[in-house]
Amino acid sequence: MKNRMIFKAALVGLTVALGTTQVPQTAMAQNLRVVKNGASSSLKVPMSRAVVVESESPFAELSIANPAIADISSLSDRSIYVLGKSPGTTTLTLLDAQGSLIANVDVVVAADVTEFKERLRQILPGEKIEVRTANDGIVLSGTVSSAAKLASALSLAERYAPERVSNLMKVGGVQQVMLKVRFAEMQRNVSKSLSSSLSLNGNSGGLTMNGGSNTTNTSGGVATALGGNIPSVNENNGAMLFGFGVGSVEVGVLLEALESKGVVRTLAEPNLTALSGQEAKFLAGGEYPVPVSQDNGAITVDFKPFGVELNFVPRVVDGDLINLELKAAVSALDSSNGYSTDAFTIDAFRRRETSTTVEMRDGESFAIAGLLQDDFVDLNSQVPWLGDIPILGALFRSAEYQRSQSELVIIVTAHLVTPTRGEALALPTDRIKPPSEKDLFLFGRVSRDGSRKLKGAAGEVARQDFSGSYGYVME
């Protein structure tokens, strides 16, 4: 019984011993390279790692051309231990006991990218990225699906080869962005005013009396039977003069009323396409000359742009995710706030602009700016004390009321676009053709006869029915 237990323990120990000795043999076999007699071969050695080389025949002498690139030592008369030290290429020479050449081996030492490839597959699965070594650096090539994944691959490569990474990768997918911007502005103005003027004119016993209240410039007006007059220049929509006489005294009353309402609507929809990462600019308007005085007294002209302006830089971040760096502005000339001198007049500018950075997906929209402005002015002027008299005090008062409202909204929409064939695009001028001499002079037509059929996309647009209501409706 005791002998059986000793025999079983011996078997277990033998099994464990065989198992432990088998692992290093397998690991060594993975790094083993066989060199054949009389043949030139190449040996790749990772930097800071070692490879065991086995020769077919025993050697007596070893030499390495550049010990700074690789270091060697003999394990036996057939085995060589090669250690990679720095990136480069050198030559390993094997000689036999008679001094004859056994083989020349080109030893190529490069950075170890095995671990880097594995990490790259784990972090960016499915990406077609090829990794190669070049001297002491890493070369990345292939196609990635987005710019964000390209940046991730470069960042990981910098961990293994700092400042020695060459990027030959390309970003696949759509990389052109069309930006559609809508500027919508509504301005409403209401103005009301009511004023009255009282005049007296009389002559009694050599005493002349002439006066009034709230009087305006009446020179050059239309004379009336009362001796008063209505101003020749009057911005009010309603002006009425009436009066009566008491003996030699004439009393005149001038009533002026104004009520005005106005609505202004501004709408612009610029569209612009740019490549990812490139800036695009758009200006629909003009340039206004502004004189500028120099230090030497000379006058130069500086041109200021106005109209609809759009500058943006699109970046396709990941798939259909778009990052937009945007500047948009709408400006117009404002003569009411200009500057005038004896020599020239300079108009002011009314400008609404925004500058922002947003992120959206293909086809999504953002309201990037909004403005709601409400201005209110109420003015009441009167003759002191007399204007406070009930009922009759209205003859000595004038009131003005003004209110201005402005509302502005800027909405942007981004689309990923690809080019198309020119025949598929229609122009606004496709449906209108210049008239021939016969159509113009004989029939008085300002465009060519529409019975002629257009081909392609232009013909498709021409066949559309534009009858009925179309365009923009404002309620």
Side-chain angles (χ1 to χ4, degrees):
M1 186 69 178
K2 185 175 181 181
N3 292 334
R4 289 183 180 180
M5 294 179 63
I6 296 174
F7 180 74
K8 290 182 179 180
L11 289 178
V12 173
L14 181 61
T15 303
V16 173
L18 291 175
T20 55
T21 56
Q22 187 177 2
V23 174
Q25 290 178 359
T26 304
M28 183 178 294
Q30 293 177 354
N31 293 327
L32 187 63
R33 300 291 187 271
V34 178
V35 177
K36 297 181 180 180
N37 297 344
S40 298
S41 58
S42 177
L43 176 65
K44 293 183 179 180
V45 182
M47 189 171 58
S48 300
R49 296 185 65 178
V51 174
V52 176
V53 178
E54 185 77 15
S55 175
E56 284 187 344
S57 58
F59 56 83
E61 184 178 350
L62 297 173
S63 65
I64 190 75
N66 190 350
I69 296 178
D71 193 8
I72 59 174
S73 62
S74 60
L75 302 178
S76 66
D77 59 351
R78 293 177 181 268
S79 301
I80 310 167
Y81 182 84
V82 182
L83 174 65
K85 298 175 66 176
S86 62
T89 303
T90 185
T91 303
L92 171 64
T93 304
L94 284 72
L95 302 176
D96 58 11
Q98 290 76 28
S100 300
L101 178 67
I102 298 177
N104 277 330
V105 181
D106 293 332
V107 180
V108 180
V109 180
D112 186 13
V113 295
T114 304
E115 182 183 0
F116 171 62
K117 290 181 179 180
E118 182 64 24
R119 295 292 180 267
L120 200 61
R121 283 192 294 267
Q122 294 174 358
I123 297 175
L124 301 175
E127 297 295 331
K128 300 178 180 179
I129 302 177
E130 298 180 2
V131 181
R132 296 182 178 88
T133 58
N135 200 1
D136 60 343
I138 297 176
V139 179
L140 301 180
S141 61
T143 303
V144 292
S145 58
S146 66
K149 294 181 178 179
L150 183 144
S152 299
L154 292 177
S155 178
L156 183 62
E158 286 290 335
R159 294 284 185 177
Y160 290 87
E163 299 181 358
R164 300 192 305 275
V165 179
S166 299
N167 177 26
L168 301 180
M169 294 183 293
K170 298 180 181 179
V171 180
V174 180
Q175 294 296 308
Q176 294 183 124
V177 180
M178 184 188 74
L179 189 66
K180 179 180 180 181
V181 183
R182 286 175 287 173
F183 299 87
E185 182 178 15
M186 287 291 297
Q187 294 181 354
R188 294 178 289 271
N189 299 297
V190 177
S191 177
K192 297 180 181 180
S193 66
L194 179 62
S195 63
S196 62
S197 301
L198 179 65
S199 63
L200 299 175
N201 188 7
N203 188 354
S204 176
L207 178 62
T208 302
M209 180 179 59
N210 192 349
S213 65
N214 297 339
T215 57
T216 57
N217 182 17
T218 59
S219 61
V222 180
T224 63
L226 296 175
N229 47 31
I230 297 177
S232 58
V233 179
N234 194 325
E235 296 180 354
N236 292 338
N237 293 335
M240 180 174 58
L241 177 66
F242 62 93
F244 56 92
V246 179
S248 60
V249 178
E250 294 183 348
V251 180
V253 179
L254 175 63
L255 298 178
E256 297 175 288
L258 168 66
E259 181 178 3
S260 62
K261 299 179 181 179
V263 176
V264 178
R265 179 178 182 270
T266 304
L267 181 66
E269 294 189 13
N271 296 341
L272 193 58
T273 302
L275 188 65
S276 176
Q278 302 297 320
E279 183 181 12
K281 298 182 178 180
F282 178 90
L283 172 63
E287 292 186 341
Y288 184 76
V290 178
V292 179
S293 177
Q294 303 298 324
D295 295 337
N296 57 2
I299 301 296
T300 60
V301 177
D302 187 13
F303 288 88
K304 301 293 184 180
F306 68 93
V308 179
E309 302 175 57
L310 175 62
N311 298 344
F312 80 102
V313 179
R315 294 181 179 88
V316 181
V317 180
D318 189 4
D320 60 347
L321 186 62
I322 305 170
N323 180 282
L324 287 177
E325 184 179 342
L326 176 68
K327 294 182 180 179
V330 179
S331 58
L333 298 177
D334 186 6
S335 58
S336 61
N337 296 320
Y339 172 77
S340 299
T341 63
D342 297 336
F344 50 79
T345 300
I346 303 176
D347 292 332
F349 283 87
R350 187 175 65 254
R351 184 178 179 88
R352 285 83 68 203
E353 64 178 306
T354 180
S355 176
T356 184
T357 300
V358 295
E359 199 169 73
M360 62 183 70
R361 296 193 178 274
D362 180 22
E364 293 182 342
S365 299
F366 253 124
I368 63 170
L371 171 66
L372 181 60
Q373 184 176 357
D374 192 348
D375 297 330
F376 176 81
V377 177
D378 190 0
L379 178 62
N380 187 5
S381 60
Q382 66 180 21
V383 177
W385 302 300
L386 297 179
D388 296 330
I389 300 175
I391 302 176
L392 294 179
L395 300 176
F396 302 91
R397 289 196 304 264
S398 63
E400 295 182 3
Y401 166 85
Q402 292 181 354
R403 186 173 185 180
S404 176
Q405 292 180 327
S406 177
E407 186 175 357
L408 172 67
V409 176
I410 301 178
I411 300 175
V412 297
T413 305
H415 296 280
L416 294 174
V417 295
T418 55
T420 185
R421 297 182 61 86
E423 301 85 42
L425 300 177
L427 299 176
T429 57
D430 289 340
R431 300 180 64 249
I432 301 297
K433 296 296 182 180
S436 62
E437 294 183 355
K438 175 182 176 181
D439 293 333
L440 179 62
F441 294 107
L442 187 59
F443 299 102
R445 300 190 181 116
V446 295
S447 61
R448 190 176 299 179
D449 188 4
S451 60
R452 300 182 182 181
K453 302 298 183 182
L454 300 177
K455 298 180 180 181
E460 182 66 25
V461 174
R463 285 190 293 270
Q464 295 180 6
D465 185 12
F466 289 94
S467 60
S469 301
Y470 63 94
Y472 300 100
V473 178
M474 181 179 64
E475 296 181 355

